[in-house]
Amino acid sequence: MQTAPVIPVIVIDELEQAVPLARALVAGGLPVLEVTLRTPAALDAIRAMRQVEGAVVGAGTVTNQSELAAAVDAGSQFIVSPGLTEPLGKAAIRADIPFLPGIANAGDIMRGLDLGLTHFKFFPAMAAGGLPALKALAAPFNQCRFCPTGGVSLANAPEWLGFDPVLCVGGSWVAPRGAVDEAEVERLAREAAALAA
């Protein structure tokens, strides 16, 4: 979460898009890549992206233990989920892999803390009340750190990143779906990486 200010949230439809996209994002300064398990190509894309020098590749949209196992098997270096269940949390801890579960309320955070987790994805960030909601949630949980995802854009990312408990944001705007224009993706990545300055 502290490697770069933005974690690209990536949807890969065609396997051949994986390596050029990863190459362009890493070149632009965003090495941490979250490949969502929303398409049949996702696991193979994780395997392919792991070959790109400097890339730290993980799986997103992991919702159960079998998806977690498949993601780990594909070489995922971290796991992101849209929510938090006890079975999934315990499986991630057993797998000894960095795990960023989604939370949207105090109960979610307390469930995570019970499992020994302190880093969370605030999701869906804008639909769940935006920055005012996260500020209210973070107040009683000062040991927790967050990665807001869902409705985060280049325009509002600086505001999120300006809030101390936010270590990074997740965003799909840096990794447009479809055919990869490497120069354009690298430009978007540079712009996003500069948000840390």
Side-chain angles (χ1 to χ4, degrees):
M1 287 172 78
Q2 292 176 288
T3 307
V6 178
I7 296 177
V9 178
I10 300 165
V11 180
I12 296 288
D13 294 297
E14 306 292 337
L15 184 57
E16 58 267 23
Q17 297 163 354
V19 169
L21 188 60
R23 213 167 33 220
L25 288 165
V26 170
L30 299 181
V32 181
L33 312 176
E34 176 190 334
V35 179
T36 62
L37 300 189
R38 295 181 200 174
T39 68
L43 293 171
D44 285 334
I46 290 168
R47 288 185 186 93
M49 287 176 160
R50 283 292 311 269
Q51 309 310 310
V52 174
E53 193 177 341
V56 179
V57 187
T61 324
V62 174
T63 61
N64 58 51
Q65 295 179 70
S66 63
E67 288 176 354
L68 176 101
V72 169
D73 189 53
S76 295
Q77 293 165 282
F78 62 92
I79 299 293
V80 183
S81 65
L84 175 59
T85 65
E86 194 171 319
L88 181 59
K90 285 182 171 173
I93 291 163
R94 276 195 308 273
D96 194 28
I97 189 163
F99 177 50
L100 193 63
I103 58 92
N105 57 52
D108 291 344
I109 295 173
M110 289 163 68
R111 192 176 317 116
L113 290 172
D114 282 347
L115 292 168
L117 303 168
T118 56
H119 290 61
F120 302 100
K121 170 168 108 162
F122 178 49
F123 177 79
M126 293 307 288
L131 189 54
L134 183 58
K135 284 183 173 176
L137 271 178
F141 301 110
N142 61 0
Q143 71 274 53
C144 297
R145 295 294 173 264
F146 302 93
C147 173
T149 306
V152 178
S153 65
L154 182 64
N156 64 22
E159 199 180 349
W160 286 106
L161 291 164
F163 180 46
D164 265 358
V166 170
L167 297 182
C168 61
V169 298
S172 55
W173 85 88
V174 289
R177 211 165 165 172
V180 181
D181 176 341
E182 284 194 59
E184 174 62 7
V185 171
E186 188 176 335
R187 184 191 69 75
L188 292 169
R190 274 189 207 293
E191 203 172 41
L195 293 170

